[in-house]
Amino acid sequence: RAEALTIELATQDADIAACCDRITAMNTEARLLAAKTATWQSLRELPKPDVRFIARAAESLDKVYRDRKWPESTAATLNAEMAANEYESVQLVIVPLRGKLNDVQVRCGSLRSGDAVITDVEARPVADVFLPIAGKHGGWRPDVLLGAADFDVPTDRAVQAVWITIHTQPDTVAGRYSGVVTVSAADSTSVTLPITVTVWGFAVPHKRNLPTQFHFRPNQIAAYYFGPKARGEYWKHLTATMYRRLMTSLLRYRIGVHPYDDREGQSRSATAYLFEQREGNKVTALDFVEFDRNTQLLLDHGVDLLYAGCFLHQKMSGDSGEYWRSFMPKMYEHLQARGWDKSAFVYGYDEFPPAELADVREQYAVVKELAPTVKYLLTYYKPDCAPAADDPGYADIWVPSLGLYSPQLAAERKRHGQTTWAYVVPGFEIYRSNRDYRRLFRTIWQQRCAGFLYFCTAFLHWNPRPADLNADGSPRKTFLRPGKGAAGIYHLCYPAGAIPEDGLNASIRLEAIRDGLEDWEYFNLLKDLIERAPQPDDQLVETARQVMRQVDDPSDKTDPASQRRAVARMIELLSR
């Protein structure tokens, strides 16, 4: 084919563009063949002729690329360690050996330890998304966790990853649980791998002790499914019940999913499904029915920081000032009646520039005057936006970008009765390592950040449409087009199909974020046990302090799994 192209290009009427396309396709095919060959050469065994694939275990922190050599793991056993009330994942890698694999299924039965049983085990194939950008970050990237019960492995990939997630209940008994994972495909003998899950003798708390705030925008979700015109009247297309179903699917990831609608809906406070009656710029009544259901959903999932509105970039003069001075008393009265006022916050002037400090102070003053126990949250990313040490300040929750956060700032704000979080933008780009996403929350712990904010969960700056999905929910190559958002994909989940009822597919980044948040809870559990130890000078307590000193050391490069295991062992010992 290369020789034929050379001859064709030498002709006077050669179609240069078509030839270039064919050369690109040939290069892609050659790279894929090289990846397959290198993967096959690394195999430690040759399967029998009636077996068309092999299956091996891989670390969940490893990204397995469809068109790259997979550095084969010799592990034929899937292993996980976890607490009760936790999610933990292992990764299975399928290497096709003889053409396309059809009707692949990965099944895991119950895991047993004596009479104790774990039944909640889910297997999801990993799909890829194409980044249409030049350079090392472009191309196919593993990210999407599909909900397909069975799937195919086409010939255009060297390997296929499958994510297996175990969920323990709060009362799961400690012990070593065992089971079998079976991988089958059409026209092939099945392959089995043993799976072992060690459950430690403690539970991850139901309450999310690290407050988090992740925006979830119904207006953008509606625009994706129903077209741009649905954005401004999302509630007519995306029902509040369906919205909560989508929220619920994200709340399993231990993040605080806050209903925010970009102020394109019924409420100028940007509170999703909060319907207002207004006379001009003055609010005369609020319909809290759906607001209360959304809020209760958060509480049911252990989230006790509750969203009650967003100023964003509104100024307090003129129309906006009249609106907020009529809105806040009605919101506050309702929050007090439900006993939620001390857990509620309003999102202030987003990433305010220093020139707008007067408006920030006025927003804060309005909240303190009309809703004194509601917190005012303020984000910023410029150094000169921070208050001086002796300034009482103009926020209750300070959220600088992580690069501006410091323990000194947090200590200064604490003296004034305030807390200090951090946020990252973008932070969770698709091309980063899974370890980066997870280790971020060790940094949050080390810095003693009181909370964490991220600007996006789903559909921010999306330019795809349902037609850009395959039938199984995997993204087509056209899913992201060149332009804003294509460089990294900042959202954390994907549509599972062409209608909202199909639900959402999580990303492996979201799984790593949850692992990081659960790591944080481990650290917090051990810290509390050390502080409450009845014999502080006991050698076991001192050993636990040494473990925590390692956790707190920014220069320590211990692998997250090893570090988590050491912390878990100390929690078990101090809990006896």
Side-chain angles (χ1 to χ4, degrees):
R1 282 189 293 171
E3 184 178 351
L5 267 171
T6 302
I7 295 172
E8 184 176 341
L9 283 167
T11 63
Q12 194 169 18
D13 58 348
D15 186 336
I16 303 298
C19 289
C20 287
D21 288 343
R22 285 156 60 195
I23 291 170
T24 300
M26 288 170 59
N27 282 333
T28 300
E29 185 179 348
R31 286 195 299 269
L32 177 62
L33 182 59
K36 288 183 176 182
T37 303
T39 299
W40 295 337
Q41 287 176 339
S42 71
L43 299 180
R44 308 281 177 102
E45 62 187 71
L46 291 175
K48 297 178 181 178
D50 60 344
V51 179
R52 301 182 57 208
F53 62 91
I54 67 166
R56 288 290 184 272
E59 295 286 341
S60 63
L61 290 176
D62 293 338
K63 287 190 173 180
V64 179
Y65 293 86
R66 64 190 278 177
D67 53 1
R68 300 184 190 179
K69 173 185 178 292
W70 176 55
E72 191 224 357
S73 165
T74 58
T77 301
L78 297 157
N79 295 295
E81 298 172 313
M82 60 196 305
N85 195 38
E86 186 174 11
Y87 291 86
E88 185 64 19
S89 298
V90 293
Q91 193 170 195
L92 176 75
V93 178
I94 298 172
V95 182
L97 301 174
R98 297 177 175 92
K100 179 183 177 183
L101 293 178
N102 294 311
D103 303 324
V104 179
Q105 295 187 349
V106 179
R107 296 286 183 268
C108 181
S110 298
L111 307 174
R112 296 186 176 276
S113 176
D115 294 332
V117 182
I118 298 173
T119 59
D120 192 352
V121 184
E122 180 182 25
R124 291 169 289 173
V126 180
D128 308 277
V129 64
F130 188 82
L131 294 191
I133 55 177
K136 64 180 181 179
H137 294 322
W140 289 105
R141 296 276 169 171
D143 198 50
V144 191
L145 293 173
L146 300 179
D150 57 88
F151 55 95
D152 298 336
V153 181
T155 57
D156 65 349
R157 59 204 64 193
V159 291
Q160 172 66 56
V162 179
W163 211 262
I164 300 176
T165 301
I166 305 101
H167 178 212
T168 52
Q169 299 301 316
D171 59 352
T172 301
V173 177
R176 185 178 176 86
Y177 292 74
S178 300
V180 174
V181 173
T182 302
V183 186
S184 62
D187 303 321
S188 176
T189 300
S190 299
V191 172
T192 60
L193 286 82
I195 180 170
T196 301
V197 177
T198 300
V199 177
W200 292 310
F202 63 93
V204 172
H206 174 68
K207 177 186 176 184
R208 284 87 188 281
N209 290 293
L210 178 70
T212 59
Q213 201 270 347
F214 286 65
H215 276 158
F216 191 49
R217 296 166 161 88
N219 57 325
Q220 297 201 27
I221 297 171
Y224 172 78
Y225 288 114
F226 304 107
K229 292 183 179 179
R231 184 187 302 271
E233 294 184 321
Y234 62 84
W235 62 94
K236 294 182 179 179
H237 304 271
L238 184 71
T239 68
T241 300
M242 175 52 62
Y243 177 70
R244 278 189 291 278
R245 282 180 56 187
L246 299 177
M247 278 183 68
T248 301
S249 67
L250 292 182
L251 283 167
R252 66 178 283 187
Y253 289 92
R254 209 169 180 85
I255 60 177
V257 183
H258 291 285
Y260 168 76
D261 74 359
D262 294 335
R263 282 200 314 280
E264 292 181 341
Q266 286 278 10
S267 172
R268 286 178 59 183
S269 70
T271 308
Y273 301 94
L274 177 66
F275 300 107
E276 299 176 354
Q277 293 180 17
R278 291 196 295 268
E279 292 180 358
N281 299 305
K282 185 177 181 180
V283 176
T284 59
L286 293 173
D287 179 351
F288 287 104
V289 172
E290 302 301 343
F291 172 87
D292 285 358
R293 290 170 178 164
N294 292 339
T295 301
Q296 190 61 52
L297 180 63
L298 293 170
L299 291 167
D300 291 344
H301 282 79
V303 178
D304 62 357
L305 184 75
L306 309 175
Y307 180 86
C310 179
F311 284 96
L312 202 59
H313 304 133
Q314 297 182 69
K315 298 180 182 297
M316 289 299 96
S317 59
D319 296 348
S320 291
E322 184 178 1
Y323 168 81
W324 281 100
R325 287 180 174 84
S326 61
F327 170 84
M328 282 308 304
K330 291 178 174 55
M331 172 60 80
Y332 188 52
E333 180 182 15
H334 182 75
L335 292 171
Q336 282 189 306
R338 296 302 301 264
W340 296 340
D341 57 298
K342 294 179 182 177
S343 299
F345 77 97
V346 292
Y347 196 115
Y349 198 124
D350 187 48
E351 295 187 323
F352 77 98
E356 306 298 337
L357 179 56
D359 285 294
V360 169
R361 288 187 180 275
E362 193 166 358
Q363 287 180 4
Y364 178 64
V366 166
V367 173
K368 294 296 99 180
E369 174 192 354
L370 302 176
T373 56
V374 172
K375 299 173 181 66
Y376 179 86
L377 180 150
L378 185 66
T379 62
Y380 66 90
Y381 67 100
K382 294 187 176 181
D384 45 358
C385 291
D390 58 349
D391 187 341
Y394 27 93
D396 301 295
I397 302 173
W398 297 86
V399 192
S401 61
L402 185 56
L404 295 181
Y405 177 94
S406 72
Q408 179 184 355
L409 171 67
E412 291 171 0
R413 291 301 95 203
K414 188 175 181 180
R415 285 195 295 107
H416 295 287
Q418 301 154 11
T419 57
T420 310
W421 294 17
Y423 78 100
V424 290
V425 174
F428 296 121
E429 299 95 329
I430 191 174
Y431 48 76
R432 292 184 182 273
S433 159
N434 281 352
R435 286 173 172 80
D436 290 342
Y437 314 134
R438 185 168 181 174
R439 282 174 173 160
L440 171 64
F441 293 96
R442 184 183 176 191
T443 300
I444 295 298
W445 171 265
Q446 291 168 339
Q447 295 291 313
R448 299 300 189 264
C449 300
F452 178 78
L453 182 145
Y454 188 61
F455 69 104
C456 174
T457 49
F459 300 61
L460 181 68
H461 301 318
W462 276 23
N463 50 24
R465 289 291 174 260
D468 295 307
L469 290 178
N470 294 311
D472 63 356
S474 59
R476 295 180 178 175
K477 196 171 183 178
T478 57
F479 186 76
L480 285 178
R481 299 171 183 84
K484 190 174 184 180
I489 301 187
Y490 308 133
H491 57 264
L492 300 174
C493 60
Y494 298 80
I499 58 176
E501 287 75 11
D502 292 327
L504 298 173
N505 285 327
S507 64
I508 58 177
R509 290 170 293 134
L510 191 51
E511 296 274 325
I513 290 167
R514 180 177 58 201
D515 288 343
L517 288 167
E518 288 172 339
D519 289 346
W520 189 100
E521 294 287 357
Y522 278 44
F523 305 153
N524 195 52
L525 276 170
L526 184 53
K527 176 188 74 72
D528 287 348
L529 286 168
I530 292 171
E531 291 176 351
R532 300 198 315 266
Q535 297 178 310
D537 297 331
D538 185 84
Q539 182 57 48
L540 183 61
V541 178
E542 178 54 34
T543 303
R545 290 194 187 100
Q546 292 174 7
V547 171
M548 287 307 300
R549 281 194 285 270
Q550 182 188 54
V551 169
D552 287 336
D553 181 2
S555 67
D556 181 77
K557 304 300 182 184
T558 303
D559 182 77
S562 299
Q563 181 184 79
R564 181 169 166 272
R565 186 180 306 117
V567 172
R569 286 173 177 165
M570 295 313 306
I571 293 172
E572 283 193 311
L573 291 170
L574 290 182
S575 299
R576 290 174 182 171

